[in-house]
Amino acid sequence: MSTEVYVIYGLAVILTTLGFIKNPKKTKIGLKKGLKSFLNLMPILLPMFLVIGLFLTLITPKLISSLLGEESGFFGVVFGLGIGSITFMPPFVAFPLGKSLLENGGAYPQVAGFLVTLMSIGFVYFQAESRYFSKKSAIFRNLVSFTGAIIVVFVVWVVYL
Amino acid sequence: MKKWMKNKFLIFGILALIALSIYDYRLSFIAIEKTYQQIISMLLIVPPIFILIGLFDVFIEKETVIQLLGKESGLKGLFLSFFLGAFSAGPTIAAFPLALLMMKKGAKYGNVVFFLMVWSTLKLPILIYQVSELGLKLTLIMNLTMLIVFVISSYLIDYVISSDEVEQMLDKSS
């Protein structure tokens, strides 16, 4: 468990209490609305985690570090950006993985590209994002992040090599 | 029930799981375990986010949001969007309903998209942790580069997505 989890629970408890003191009726409506949007998200979220679970089974850290080695060059970058875009990991899993990839012979630009796309691009979110906003908006956001990741790869390449 | 049947992810996931079981049933056990872990870690962090979304919905007035994050909010609005996204926790998908609510309350679309991008990538509370795992240099390059790209894109978005298209998003969801 990380501190951010405690902070967000603490915030929710404090604000709900304050809400009940200030206006119990409004607070009840708010909590009901929150529950409703939570339940609306579940049919999208739960099957998505099945797909993520499958990805994480097939794409192991061993496979990733073998694809992102010092000699992997351009294709290593493409693999890094590609795998990072389709998989999803919480930061507390992603950063130690990045560290172990670097320690196991992964090259800096490839691993950096992998980490940035891992966080910023959610291929699995695309369907949900299009539904909430629009397809064009989802494409724009992911394209921007992908461009950013390519720039990161270049900067790391220049700085480290 | 109908909603679940239509879900492409569910159908794809189940088919892939069956294919995986035929290939090697042990792998499908691992996949189910990983899915379970992901769901548990999500259920730990997501409920309070939705409590906050609900409270935000009823207690924060539209006028306040327009003033702080609306079309005239300028640099202050951008800073506020940054802090809202950077001091968050949870998967990006939990940010979608919150971002939509911000839009409904009159936040500028560029600010909303910036907030989403910051939420996904730039997490200030765990910056020190990131430095300890990846080193200061790599952390700085990754975070600063993405921040600059996100800021530029939040200004560019007005040219890509017209205000009519933003209106359509709001109509669709209401």
Side-chain angles (χ1 to χ4, degrees):
Chain A
M1 283 287 268
S2 50
T3 33
E4 48 177 12
V5 179
Y6 293 114
V7 171
I8 199 153
Y9 269 94
L11 206 62
V13 170
I14 292 168
L15 290 179
T16 309
T17 315
L18 283 179
F20 269 113
I21 294 168
K22 206 183 159 213
N23 191 334
K25 210 173 148 196
K26 252 188 175 177
T27 309
K28 263 186 212 156
I29 297 172
L31 293 180
K32 265 187 203 153
K33 280 190 171 179
L35 181 69
K36 208 179 138 203
S37 54
F38 178 69
L39 293 177
N40 274 340
L41 192 64
M42 282 304 114
I44 309 173
L45 207 55
L46 293 176
M48 206 184 78
F49 279 102
L50 177 61
V51 175
I52 293 168
L54 283 160
F55 275 139
L56 292 180
T57 308
L58 297 173
I59 304 171
T60 57
K62 218 171 123 191
L63 177 73
I64 300 172
S65 63
S66 72
L67 289 173
L68 304 184
E70 298 280 359
E71 307 296 316
S72 62
F74 177 72
F75 285 105
V77 173
V78 174
F79 278 129
L81 295 174
I83 299 169
S85 300
I86 51 172
T87 37
F88 161 83
M89 275 169 220
F92 278 89
V93 183
F95 296 146
L97 173 66
K99 188 189 184 185
S100 76
L101 291 179
L102 290 173
E103 283 168 351
N104 288 309
Y108 272 87
Q110 282 85 330
V111 173
F114 167 69
L115 285 175
V116 171
T117 47
L118 191 58
M119 290 183 291
S120 62
I121 300 182
F123 193 70
V124 283
Y125 296 148
F126 190 80
Q127 196 194 9
E129 191 170 355
S130 311
R131 206 180 297 176
Y132 269 103
F133 307 99
S134 71
K135 208 167 240 173
K136 196 170 161 189
S137 146
I139 291 171
F140 176 84
R141 198 184 67 81
N142 286 294
L143 213 58
V144 165
S145 301
F146 199 74
T147 313
I150 292 172
I151 299 172
V152 167
V153 171
F154 268 108
V155 176
V156 172
W157 189 66
V158 171
V159 170
Y160 280 85
L161 298 179
Chain B
M1 200 58 208
K2 223 175 170 183
K3 236 180 181 175
W4 290 83
M5 299 292 283
K6 269 197 211 155
N7 197 300
K8 285 178 203 139
F9 269 115
L10 191 63
I11 295 164
F12 173 75
I14 289 171
L15 287 179
L17 198 62
I18 292 169
L20 195 66
S21 320
I22 296 167
Y23 173 69
D24 185 343
Y25 70 92
R26 278 164 304 182
L27 282 179
S28 55
F29 282 127
I30 298 174
I32 289 168
E33 204 195 317
K34 296 238 188 232
T35 305
Y36 173 75
Q37 284 170 359
Q38 291 282 334
I39 290 174
I40 292 301
S41 67
M42 185 267 306
L43 286 181
L44 266 176
I45 196 150
V46 167
I49 298 175
F50 281 91
I51 292 177
L52 294 174
I53 291 176
L55 293 176
F56 174 49
D57 198 350
V58 289
F59 277 109
I60 311 283
E61 300 294 332
K62 200 170 175 175
E63 288 73 29
T64 317
V65 179
I66 292 175
Q67 199 194 348
L68 292 172
L69 295 165
K71 284 205 165 64
E72 312 293 323
S73 62
L75 213 55
K76 261 192 300 187
L78 200 68
F79 269 103
L80 184 59
S81 310
F82 175 80
F83 283 108
L84 285 174
F87 284 96
S88 64
T92 314
I93 195 164
F96 294 159
L98 182 55
L100 190 65
L101 187 59
M102 282 161 71
M103 269 171 78
K104 279 187 187 164
K105 297 241 176 193
K108 197 173 88 175
Y109 189 61
N111 284 340
V112 172
V113 171
F114 184 63
F115 158 79
L116 274 179
M117 294 194 282
V118 171
W119 176 305
S120 72
T121 312
L122 306 168
K123 306 257 188 202
L124 283 189
I126 55 168
L127 206 60
I128 294 165
Y129 176 70
Q130 199 181 352
V131 172
S132 74
E133 292 291 312
L134 301 172
L136 183 63
K137 205 157 72 170
L138 192 58
T139 304
L140 276 181
I141 295 173
M142 282 166 46
N143 287 290
L144 282 180
T145 309
M146 293 311 273
L147 178 62
I148 294 166
V149 170
F150 290 161
V151 170
I152 295 171
S153 71
S154 77
Y155 283 105
L156 285 181
I157 195 148
D158 287 341
Y159 300 100
V160 181
I161 305 221
S162 67
S163 49
D164 282 352
E165 283 171 292
V166 174
E167 286 298 322
Q168 273 172 18
M169 288 179 215
L170 293 175
D171 288 344
K172 188 177 67 177
S173 64
S174 58

